[in-house]
Amino acid sequence: MRRLLPICAALCFAVLCAAQDMRAPASAVAGEDATISTNGSGKATFYLLGPGVSYKSEVGLGSEVRLKAQDLQNAGEYFAVLCSDTCRSASFYVTAGKPASLTFLVHPSRVPVGLGDAVSGVVLPFDQFRNLVLAPATVSFQLLEGTASVFSHSSQTRDGIAWFRTASQKSAGTLQVDASLGDLSARRAVQQVASDPCNLRIKGERTKAGILVQTEPVRDCAGNPVPDGTIVTFTATEASGRSTVDAPIKQGIARAQLEAPGATVISVASGVAMGNELRIGAQP
Amino acid sequence: MNRSVTILVLLLASSLGSLAADSVVHVELDASKAAPRSVESLTEQAILRDYRFAWTSIAQALEFNTLDPLEGAFTGESKQALSQSVTSQQRSGLSQRYVDQSHKVQAVFYAPEGDVIELHDTAEYQLQILDSGKLIHEEHVVVHYVVLMTPAADRWMVRHLQAVPQF
């Protein structure tokens, strides 16, 4: 028995020396070369499987296996398998490189003025191979009306995302929304439009064809002209009944021709806004 | 009568087949911590359904080295990377099996306008790597995935799928 022990130990040592093994890189960056060191002797088949890559090649044990940058472009987990008599495996992660582009989602593209939490933006930084950069980075958001900054906010990415939300401004017009991260920037535009009409005022006069009635320039409560095409409803009430006419705003003013021969009360409304009443006497 | 029975059997077989494909992928989704927008119940169900379908599709594509399963569940970078995986496996003769998949998924970000959701998936499965059909490696793996999904016309699609060492 005592004689057998040294023999067993020698055999085990010999097997261990002959068996292949490998060491995967502790970390690797997308698009950069990496190496896997192997030990043992003789030939083996090397397999690499990862996101977007799968290949096998013959390698000499005891040397380094060079992983080309082009095979490590996608961030994620990679599996290396080395097979001679038996197979050994190792896994390693490839992480995203430096931010090279920003995906910037801004909503909405068109918004009424003076609305709380109406404008929002989300930024996702990607490296040159479109891997999501998960390392925290500071993103600066800025909103401009013309050249005047109306909102600025800095936010650190968390899990690869930074975002903001704010109210729309008081004036109609283009709102420029900028996001920047280091040297990278992205720009979007939000069209701010007038809100609902406010303080509708009408005037009218009797003509041969009936009553011609029109609004004063229609504006929202902040004084912005309400967009053309917004519908204004005129209602004529006389002893014989009631009639309504819908008219779109054209060049800031809505007009309608009402057929009402008797004494008439005309009212106006647009959306939830009501205007003044107009009393017109009967046709002479 | 015989024709009706045949149709019924075919329908049953078809539904059982799809059930079998789905049942191998177990997905649990917790959307309670999603912010800044909360995830509506119907949205949560749709994401759960479509994310499970995505993993069924990945398993099929990488086992049988075919691109067809990738249609419908993936878009953008994830579709590109998976398509590259399949085509390079076709060239090398390798394939992968994802057996007994279990995914514990947490929604961590849901955009204010609902146009992107980020998920953290702790996936467990038995990974088998095959060379020309011969098993060369098998191991039980736990992988953390950062996932971006975006809504399409009638479903949620996986836009980005990136394994990370930890969350």
Side-chain angles (χ1 to χ4, degrees):
Chain A
M1 183 66 183
R2 281 183 184 172
R3 283 181 187 171
L4 284 174
L5 278 174
I7 297 168
C8 283
L11 277 171
C12 290
F13 182 74
V15 167
L16 282 173
C17 284
Q20 82 287 2
D21 205 354
M22 65 179 158
R23 183 175 296 168
S27 63
V29 178
E32 293 182 8
D33 287 343
T35 55
I36 290 181
S37 57
T38 66
N39 57 25
S41 58
K43 296 280 183 188
T45 306
F46 175 77
Y47 299 89
L48 183 72
L49 287 102
V53 66
S54 161
Y55 71 79
K56 64 178 176 181
S57 60
E58 293 301 311
V59 297
L61 293 173
S63 61
E64 285 191 331
V65 179
R66 184 169 162 264
L67 307 178
K68 294 178 195 165
Q70 67 197 49
D71 292 327
L72 302 176
Q73 290 185 349
N74 293 318
E77 188 176 25
Y78 287 69
F79 287 91
V81 182
L82 193 63
C83 295
S84 57
D85 294 337
T86 57
C87 293
R88 298 290 178 93
S89 72
S91 67
F92 61 96
Y93 284 90
V94 170
T95 56
K98 288 188 293 187
S101 65
L102 301 177
T103 291
F104 190 21
L105 308 171
V106 173
H107 285 287
S109 57
R110 192 176 161 92
V111 64
V113 296
L115 212 58
D117 285 345
V119 180
S120 66
V122 175
V123 161
L124 300 101
F126 288 90
D127 72 4
Q128 61 172 319
F129 304 108
R130 297 295 295 168
N131 298 304
L132 184 62
V133 179
L134 295 164
T138 302
V139 177
S140 298
F141 297 102
Q142 190 166 39
L143 274 60
L144 298 119
E145 283 184 330
T147 55
S149 174
V150 292
F151 173 85
S152 65
H153 173 68
S154 286
S155 175
Q156 200 163 55
T157 58
R158 187 175 171 183
D159 301 320
I161 293 177
W163 68 282
F164 77 92
R165 183 163 55 189
T166 188
S168 56
Q169 304 304 304
K170 297 289 180 198
S171 304
T174 303
L175 182 67
Q176 184 181 306
V177 186
D178 292 345
S180 59
L181 190 165
D183 298 337
L184 303 171
S185 65
R187 176 172 293 177
R188 302 289 181 266
V190 172
Q191 195 64 35
Q192 296 184 125
V193 296
S195 191
D196 292 331
C198 194
N199 298 324
L200 277 172
R201 302 287 304 171
I202 53 171
K203 57 187 177 182
E205 58 181 354
R206 191 170 283 287
T207 64
K208 288 179 184 173
I211 300 170
L212 178 65
V213 63
Q214 69 173 43
T215 63
E216 290 180 1
V218 182
R219 297 179 183 277
D220 67 9
C221 294
N224 300 295
V226 172
D228 283 2
T230 303
I231 298 297
V232 174
T233 302
F234 297 95
T235 303
T237 307
E238 54 181 335
S240 59
R242 173 184 291 194
S243 61
T244 61
V245 173
D246 287 339
I249 294 173
K250 287 180 184 171
Q251 296 181 329
I253 291 170
R255 289 185 185 83
Q257 185 83 36
L258 302 166
E259 289 181 11
T264 307
V265 177
I266 300 169
S267 61
V268 63
S270 181
V272 295
M274 301 285 290
N276 62 311
E277 282 188 348
L278 199 63
R279 293 172 187 278
I280 305 273
Q283 199 169 26
Chain B
M1 179 65 181
N2 282 345
R3 195 175 165 191
S4 303
V5 170
T6 310
I7 290 169
L8 193 66
V9 168
L10 283 173
L11 281 172
L12 194 63
S14 157
S15 60
L16 282 175
S18 59
L19 195 68
D22 273 357
S23 65
V24 297
V25 179
H26 178 72
V27 180
E28 287 174 26
L29 172 62
D30 175 10
S32 62
K33 293 186 179 69
R37 185 186 175 108
S38 59
V39 182
E40 300 83 1
S41 173
L42 284 175
T43 305
E44 187 176 342
Q45 289 171 34
I47 289 168
L48 178 66
R49 176 198 65 203
D50 296 335
Y51 189 62
R52 184 168 55 209
F53 176 64
W55 272 99
T56 305
S57 304
I58 289 175
Q60 288 175 351
L62 294 179
E63 180 173 358
F64 301 111
N65 285 341
T66 170
L67 293 169
D68 295 343
L70 303 179
E71 294 300 327
F74 301 93
T75 187
E77 297 87 26
S78 69
K79 188 173 182 182
Q80 191 181 345
L82 286 164
S83 300
Q84 284 172 358
S85 289
V86 170
T87 50
S88 63
Q89 284 192 175
Q90 287 170 342
R91 279 197 301 269
S92 62
L94 299 176
S95 59
Q96 298 178 70
R97 280 196 200 127
Y98 293 77
V99 182
D100 293 337
Q101 291 185 49
S102 172
H103 300 261
K104 286 195 169 63
V105 184
Q106 191 160 47
V108 294
F109 177 84
Y110 188 30
E113 295 296 323
D115 49 358
V116 62
I117 191 164
E118 180 173 321
L119 309 174
H120 283 181
D121 175 12
T122 302
E124 285 189 53
Y125 46 82
Q126 198 70 14
L127 174 67
Q128 297 178 344
I129 299 172
L130 301 98
D131 182 0
S132 303
K134 182 189 166 194
L135 185 68
I136 57 164
H137 177 67
E138 179 171 18
E139 73 173 284
H140 181 78
V141 293
V142 179
V143 189
H144 302 290
Y145 289 99
V146 172
V147 186
L148 297 177
M149 292 184 82
T150 54
D154 59 349
R155 72 192 72 176
W156 283 80
M157 300 184 85
V158 175
R159 181 168 287 276
H160 203 87
L161 186 69
Q162 189 170 316
V164 294
Q166 61 195 27
F167 296 129

